[in-house]
Amino acid sequence: MTKLPFGEVLSESFSFFFANLRLFFHLVTIPWIASLAIRIIGAALAHDSLAAVLVEKALDAVPTAMFMVAWQRAVLLGPNRVDRLPGVGWSPRESAYLIHLVKIAGITFVLIAAFIFTIGTLNPETMGMGAPPDPELARRQAMAAPLGAGFTISLLLALRVSFGLAATAVDVPFSPRLSWAYSRGNAWTIIGLLFLTFFVGALATTAASLVALGLMRGMLGADSAAVLVTWLVAILVSYAGAALAATVQAVIFRRLLAWREGAPLPAVT
């Protein structure tokens, strides 16, 4: 059984990303533009709609999958094996990757959607000190509690098996069941690695959004232009976070299975 060294996996992943920033900007260009277009169209069609936000996130999985396939191929096979710029076409490889992603994160997405619709929009005025309790809000919170617990559990399970996406990116038949089997003995290490990476990416995206919004409003004094630039920066930083997470997944896959192109996978015990 291979034991994953937490620090070495992080070090290798971050080193690869920062050593290949030029490659990152080359591969992310079209998916970045596509995600920005989805965000703008979603905001224009249905402002402040929970359903619209969820549909927007679901649609954004398409350009994200195109980018992650190309990036993980670069990590595992080298930049010359990316085949084509992500976003200029769609192949069975991207279809398999998206299906694999739905198998991993589909239940988590459904649970968070149900949680959001159950809670609804919270009014900050009703959450202040001394405010009378709202029976309807209390009822919705009680109904959402099991959904929140289910979401947390499904998120941990999804993190554990998500490294198998790297196998699909390099055309190795794989499934969440195989990811579960191969990760025995390293489950919490994998969960910790990916949780930390996604958490750092989320913090960086939030910080970049706040800084960009503050600068643009100070310079332009126009909310619409400031928001557009903020989206542009935030989406780019979120793609950088996705690239880091995809790198960690690829490194885990390679180390855990001692994978090399053309070699058979080790037997599942």
Side-chain angles (χ1 to χ4, degrees), residues 1-4 181-187 255-256 269:
M1 182 182 296
T2 301
K3 297 299 292 183
L4 288 173
Y182 283 120
S183 63
R184 290 193 187 107
N186 292 284
R255 282 176 171 259
L256 200 58
T269 57

Side-chain angles (χ1 to χ4, degrees), residues 135-147:
E136 177 61 21
L137 176 60
R139 184 186 68 83
R140 284 188 281 139
Q141 289 176 340
M143 291 177 59
L147 294 174

Side-chain angles (χ1 to χ4, degrees), residues 7-231:
E8 289 182 18
V9 173
L10 276 184
S11 177
E12 181 180 347
S13 301
F14 277 73
S15 296
F16 179 90
F17 174 76
F18 287 107
N20 291 275
L21 285 176
R22 181 178 297 181
L23 176 64
F24 167 74
F25 283 104
H26 174 67
L27 296 179
V28 81
T29 302
I30 297 178
W32 179 24
I33 294 172
S35 293
L36 180 62
I38 291 171
R39 182 69 185 90
I40 292 173
I41 294 171
L45 293 180
H47 184 64
D48 291 337
S49 169
L50 293 176
V53 171
L54 293 173
V55 171
E56 177 189 315
K57 295 301 181 185
L59 291 176
D60 194 50
V62 174
T64 301
M66 290 189 291
F67 168 74
M68 291 184 70
V69 167
W71 184 259
Q72 288 183 333
R73 287 182 67 81
V75 175
L76 293 173
L77 300 174
N80 295 330
R81 296 290 301 279
V82 173
D83 291 346
R84 68 173 183 276
L85 193 66
V88 300
W90 187 265
S91 71
R93 181 183 296 137
E94 278 84 5
S95 297
Y97 194 94
L98 192 58
I99 292 171
H100 195 167
L101 180 61
V102 170
K103 290 179 181 178
I104 290 171
I107 294 177
T108 304
F109 184 84
V110 170
L111 287 173
I112 191 60
F115 180 84
I116 291 173
F117 280 115
T118 302
I119 289 292
T121 302
L122 298 179
N123 185 357
E125 295 180 359
T126 63
M127 302 174 64
M129 296 296 295
D134 184 351
E136 177 61 21
L137 176 60
R139 184 186 68 83
R140 284 188 281 139
Q141 289 176 340
M143 291 177 59
L147 294 174
F151 166 74
T152 301
I153 295 171
S154 68
L155 176 62
L156 294 176
L157 297 178
L159 288 175
R160 171 172 172 171
V161 300
S162 65
F163 73 91
L165 289 168
T168 303
V170 292
D171 304 320
V172 175
F174 222 71
S175 67
R177 183 185 65 81
L178 287 175
S179 297
W180 184 272
Y182 283 120
S183 63
R184 290 193 187 107
N186 292 284
W188 288 109
T189 302
I190 293 171
I191 291 171
L193 283 165
L194 290 170
F195 179 83
L196 178 61
T197 307
F198 281 116
F199 182 71
V200 169
L203 284 181
T205 301
T206 301
S209 301
L210 294 175
V211 171
L213 184 61
L215 289 176
M216 289 302 102
R217 282 184 171 170
M219 293 170 59
L220 302 177
D223 286 342
S224 58
V227 169
L228 183 60
V229 174
T230 301
W231 287 345

